[in-house]
């Protein structure tokens, strides 16, 4: 099977970018906007999203993701803006990516959801979303020097994995548990 590498500088409107099965994406100074389900989707893919903007990602069901990673451990998101998605960044099933120097803001539900993954989050601003960061399943992120603040409902929450989909809230879920790791700052809330 031939491995494909994508190196792009572009602006996509209303079109999802999907990297699957060992494909590689290097996206620099680009804008992805107006998609209904996902802006960028890594499915067992690799790559880098650098100095790019992902915005206006949404649908009526409330399940759209700005950037989604599934089984994608080798992804770097750096100096990127994820603004106005329904779910900003969603990491699942061993997506142990690195997210740094980025802004995740104005998302209608979660800024970042992490399910059974161990990403590194460093020097990010996660603010003005409905919910800040959600950790579920066997997640073990390394979080350093992030500013997580001014999210409407809570900043950081740990929740048992029950097989739910991101965005679902169950009435019997435990209340939010604020955690501080490294020098992370949890402000407001």
């Amino acid at each position: 099977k031939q491995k494909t590498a994508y190196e792009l500088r572009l602006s996509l409107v209303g079109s999802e970018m999907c990297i699957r099965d060992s494909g590689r994406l290097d996206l620099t100074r680009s804008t992805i906007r107006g998609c209904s389900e996902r802006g960028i989707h890594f499915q067992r893919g690799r790559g880098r999203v650098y100095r790019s903007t992902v915005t206006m990602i949404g649908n009526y069901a409330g399940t759209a993701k700005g950037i989604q990673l599934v089984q994608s451990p080798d992804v770097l998101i750096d100096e990127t803006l994820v603004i106005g998605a329904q779910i900003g960044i969603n990491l699942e099933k061993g997506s142990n990516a690195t997210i740094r120097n980025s802004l995740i803001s104005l998302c209608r539900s979660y800024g970042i959801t992490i399910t059974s993954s161990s990403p590194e989050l460093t020097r990010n601003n996660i603010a003005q979303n409905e919910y800040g960061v959600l950790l579920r399943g066997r997640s073990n992120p390394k979080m350093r020097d992030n500013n997580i603040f001014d999210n409407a409902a809570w900043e950081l929450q740990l929740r048992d994995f029950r097989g739910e989909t991101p965005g679902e809230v169950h009435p019997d879920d435990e209340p939010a548990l604020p955690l501080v790791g490294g020098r992370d700052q949890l402000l407001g809330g």
Side-chain angles (χ1 to χ4, degrees), residues 6 29 35 37 54 75 81 86 107 122 130 135-136 176:
Y6 301 93
R29 292 187 174 97
C35 303
E37 190 56 34
V54 179
V75 175
L81 307 174
Q86 286 171 323
C107 296
T122 307
E130 183 67 22
L135 305 176
R136 296 188 300 188

Side-chain angles (χ1 to χ4, degrees), residues 37-53:
E37 190 56 34
R38 288 174 291 273
I40 303 171
H41 180 193
F42 288 92
Q43 176 86 32
R44 294 180 303 277
R46 299 175 298 122
R48 179 178 81 137
V49 179
Y50 178 67
R51 289 193 173 178
S52 294
T53 300

